Amino acid sequence: MGNIFDVLYDVLFQPQMAMRSIADQKNIPQVLVVFFLSIIIPIWAMYFGLQAAGMSTMIHLFIGIKIFGSMVMWFMGTAVWHLLAEFYGGRGTAIGLFSTLGFTYFPQILIVPLWVFAAILPVSLKTLVMTVAALVILGWSLFLSITAMKEVYQFSTAKAVLVMITPLLVVLVLCTLAFTFVGSALTQMPMWL
Amino acid sequence: MYKKSVMIVIGVVVAFSLAGLAFIGMGAKERSKASRSDKIAIIYIEGVILGGRGQSTVLMEQGGTDQIIKQIHQARDDESIKAVVLRINSPGGSAAASQEVGEELKKLRAQGKVVVTSMGDVAASGGYWLAACTDKIYANPTTLTGSIGVYMPYANWEELYKKIGIYQEKIKSGPHKDIMSPERQMTSEERGIIQIIVDDIYNQFVDVVTEGRKMDKEQVRKLADGRIYTGNQAKQLGLVDELGNMYDAIDGAGQLAGIAGKPVIKEYGKQSPWNMLFGPNEKISTLVEQFLFHKMQSELNIGAPLEVSPEKWQVK
């Protein structure tokens, strides 16, 4: 694996090999450049879209949420998933996971030409194509995250998926418990309210 | 080398897409800007025209001319609104409230906004007062309008009070303080005082119609004997400009305001789901019921000793 073009090509078309190499090299400046490009280019496209929709007052809010949210997800995701991966017996480094997760945002750049394609379609197809495009990109990023987890910690696909969804499962269980306790507490209250 | 070429192609496609999105975005912005600058507002005048804030709930206020005036001010301050269609469905109401709204409509016109009236089932009396303050009046051929005149209802319950043994003691600061009290006959002097007041309000009403409709004052006086007219009759008499429904009025307002193409409509006082859930209940459903309810209220009017003026002043 050589320059940035080779790395990006491999991320898109040979993700397994690319993630293994990124985790080994831990080239943080390169990861930061790719991450911010992957965030800023779709935001730029979103800026034009919101402006066209007459939502200019909300542009800054959307951009702020997108940048801040993506960075929090990247840092916090790395921390939580690394801890969980170690619990599940994985042998990898947090920096390795951090580097590979930075590259998982790269397919988001491809949403720009897909939106342009959707914009020239008839109104009836526009929303459908835009939704499908967004879902495909989301699925692609998710696939890259799972691949990153597999390559960094030498997990099987099932274990990598389990690590990825564990935080979600924990939140679901906590919510269910909270609702159960609150519900039972309410039914125990006297009916004079 | 192959990988680099593929990534450069992808980069070029993304760059061109961004430029394309910027172009599409600018076009859409221009279109939305154009559409934002050509709006027609619709303000609804429904039911009996009464001053004040109307019915209030925890979350909102509804009815009462204060709300209508607020909507007129919003339309005046919104630069994108070029014309206002006043949709009137009212049997009339208080003279002061009608006058207050009428004056605001005149100010709105003075700001360069076109104001057009669309009459619904009924636009009589106070409803016609408002219509006379607008640039153009549209009515359906069967709309009931006119009723240009004033009356003050007064009920004399003296005989009934005697029968049931009620006698009201009054300590008055002046001889006319309890004028129109229901428990005694009005004196001829008091009748004269009230007649002068009614005539004064009537003359003001005639002046509004004369000025608004650009008609001869004597001609207006002939028509203003309190009778109602159909939209068809009103058109022949010059009290209405065109026969047509609300959409004709919107088109007419668009033409007067010089709006090219289909105008964008902005409705004021629209019923939102929030309003339906938490707004005041409309117990009196039809205009006929409202009219009867209003009339009955006036007939049963019992003067309050602290009132400076009689409770109801109806333009009829």
Side-chain angles (χ1 to χ4, degrees):
Chain A
M1 195 173 276
N3 61 30
I4 184 95
F5 292 109
D6 293 348
V7 179
L8 292 175
Y9 179 91
D10 288 341
V11 167
L12 292 181
F13 304 109
Q14 295 166 344
Q16 240 170 331
M17 194 182 81
M19 291 303 170
R20 202 179 308 137
S21 167
I22 293 164
D24 289 342
Q25 288 181 2
K26 300 181 185 76
N27 189 343
I28 297 299
Q30 196 180 59
V31 175
L32 285 172
V33 168
V34 172
F35 173 80
F36 282 109
L37 275 180
S38 307
I39 295 298
I40 285 165
I41 289 174
I43 281 175
W44 201 359
M46 199 165 79
Y47 172 79
F48 293 128
L50 289 173
Q51 223 177 23
M55 297 163 79
S56 48
T57 50
M58 299 173 84
I59 287 176
H60 299 104
L61 183 73
F62 272 106
I63 290 174
I65 289 173
K66 175 75 179 156
I67 293 176
F68 185 72
S70 301
M71 285 177 69
V72 167
M73 270 297 286
W74 188 24
F75 281 87
M76 297 294 285
T78 303
V80 172
W81 281 320
H82 177 69
L83 181 69
L84 288 170
E86 289 214 332
F87 278 144
Y88 282 103
R91 291 286 173 264
T93 62
I95 295 288
L97 183 64
F98 182 74
S99 305
T100 51
L101 287 182
F103 273 88
T104 61
Y105 288 87
F106 183 64
Q108 290 189 12
I109 284 179
L110 299 178
I111 204 151
V112 181
L114 289 172
W115 275 349
V116 173
F117 174 67
I120 56 173
L121 287 174
V123 182
S124 53
L125 283 173
K126 204 181 273 185
T127 317
L128 179 73
V129 172
M130 277 187 169
T131 312
V132 170
L135 286 174
V136 167
I137 298 295
L138 186 74
W140 198 344
S141 289
L142 205 66
F143 166 74
L144 287 179
S145 301
I146 293 166
T147 309
M149 193 67 70
K150 278 171 67 181
E151 295 306 318
V152 173
Y153 298 101
Q154 300 302 308
F155 280 151
S156 65
T157 306
K159 213 171 204 178
V161 171
L162 189 64
V163 172
M164 295 293 293
I165 64 167
T166 297
L168 190 69
L169 291 175
V170 170
V171 170
L172 278 176
V173 169
L174 286 176
C175 284
T176 310
L177 285 173
F179 276 117
T180 310
F181 281 119
V182 170
S184 59
L186 281 176
T187 50
Q188 293 298 314
M189 285 175 91
M191 287 315 208
W192 39 258
L193 277 176
Chain B
M1 188 63 193
Y2 166 74
K3 289 179 182 178
K4 190 179 176 180
S5 306
V6 170
M7 290 318 294
I8 286 172
V9 169
I10 289 176
V12 169
V13 169
V14 170
F16 269 104
S17 302
L18 268 180
L21 272 181
F23 182 73
I24 293 167
M26 271 158 59
K29 197 182 171 189
E30 285 301 312
R31 280 197 301 277
S32 70
K33 203 175 168 184
S35 70
R36 274 201 293 273
S37 61
D38 288 335
K39 279 185 195 156
I40 292 181
I42 301 178
I43 294 176
Y44 293 91
I45 313 281
E46 287 174 336
V48 178
I49 300 165
L50 288 174
R53 288 181 292 177
Q55 291 173 294
S56 297
T57 63
V58 180
L59 295 167
M60 61 194 66
E61 293 163 356
Q62 208 174 45
T65 50
D66 284 6
Q67 281 301 311
I68 296 165
I69 290 170
K70 207 183 274 181
Q71 290 168 5
I72 292 171
H73 283 189
Q74 283 169 359
R76 184 194 64 193
D77 295 340
D78 189 339
E79 282 181 19
S80 67
I81 288 171
K82 302 292 177 203
V84 174
V85 170
L86 209 63
R87 175 66 171 173
I88 301 176
N89 220 355
S90 166
S94 140
S98 305
Q99 189 173 46
E100 211 168 35
V101 177
E103 289 305 310
E104 289 302 320
L105 291 172
K106 285 180 191 170
K107 286 180 201 165
L108 187 66
R109 287 170 64 194
Q111 298 255 323
K113 308 234 177 185
V114 171
V115 186
V116 170
T117 293
S118 163
M119 293 179 168
D121 297 336
V122 186
S125 193
Y128 189 77
W129 183 312
L130 302 188
C133 296
T134 61
D135 291 297
K136 198 170 183 180
I137 303 176
Y138 284 77
N140 298 299
T142 52
T143 293
L144 292 180
T145 186
S147 188
I148 303 166
V150 183
Y151 81 94
M152 278 182 61
Y154 159 67
N156 184 354
W157 300 90
E158 192 178 4
E159 291 301 317
L160 178 66
Y161 283 175
K162 273 182 191 165
K163 278 180 186 167
I164 57 176
I166 293 176
Y167 177 74
Q168 197 174 30
E169 283 283 0
K170 276 184 196 150
I171 296 96
K172 297 191 279 188
S173 60
H176 302 305
K177 182 61 191 160
D178 67 338
I179 197 166
M180 291 182 85
S181 281
E183 79 284 340
R184 69 172 177 82
Q185 183 72 40
M186 204 188 284
T187 65
S188 58
E189 191 192 359
E190 285 172 337
R191 189 171 286 279
I193 292 169
I194 298 298
Q195 188 61 55
I196 289 167
I197 291 169
V198 167
D199 290 346
D200 184 31
I201 298 173
Y202 172 76
N203 286 333
Q204 290 181 48
F205 197 171
V206 168
D207 287 344
V208 166
V209 177
T210 305
E211 186 195 329
R213 301 299 305 160
K214 295 179 181 63
M215 288 167 79
D216 180 60
K217 200 168 189 172
E218 284 314 305
Q219 193 194 346
V220 175
R221 280 191 185 281
K222 274 183 199 164
L223 300 174
D225 59 0
R227 78 178 67 182
I228 53 169
Y229 303 101
T230 64
N232 215 13
Q233 291 172 320
K235 165 91 168 66
Q236 286 166 9
L237 296 167
L239 293 173
V240 158
D241 294 300
E242 298 284 346
L243 294 179
N245 60 24
M246 189 167 84
Y247 295 95
D248 297 321
I250 291 169
D251 290 342
Q255 281 170 9
L256 282 177
I259 297 171
K262 203 178 172 188
V264 177
I265 306 297
K266 184 174 182 181
E267 282 185 272
Y268 284 94
K270 215 173 169 182
Q271 280 281 82
S272 64
W274 196 245
N275 201 317
M276 285 172 190
L277 278 171
F278 300 107
N281 291 325
E282 193 62 67
K283 287 182 182 149
I284 309 154
S285 53
T286 66
L287 280 172
V288 176
E289 282 173 313
Q290 282 184 22
F291 183 72
L292 290 173
F293 176 78
H294 189 54
K295 203 166 171 56
M296 207 168 72
Q297 255 195 339
S298 304
E299 299 295 337
L300 294 171
N301 179 19
I302 298 167
L306 286 176
E307 272 190 331
V308 177
S309 60
E311 200 175 359
K312 299 287 173 197
W313 296 73
Q314 283 192 325
V315 179
K316 183 80 186 177

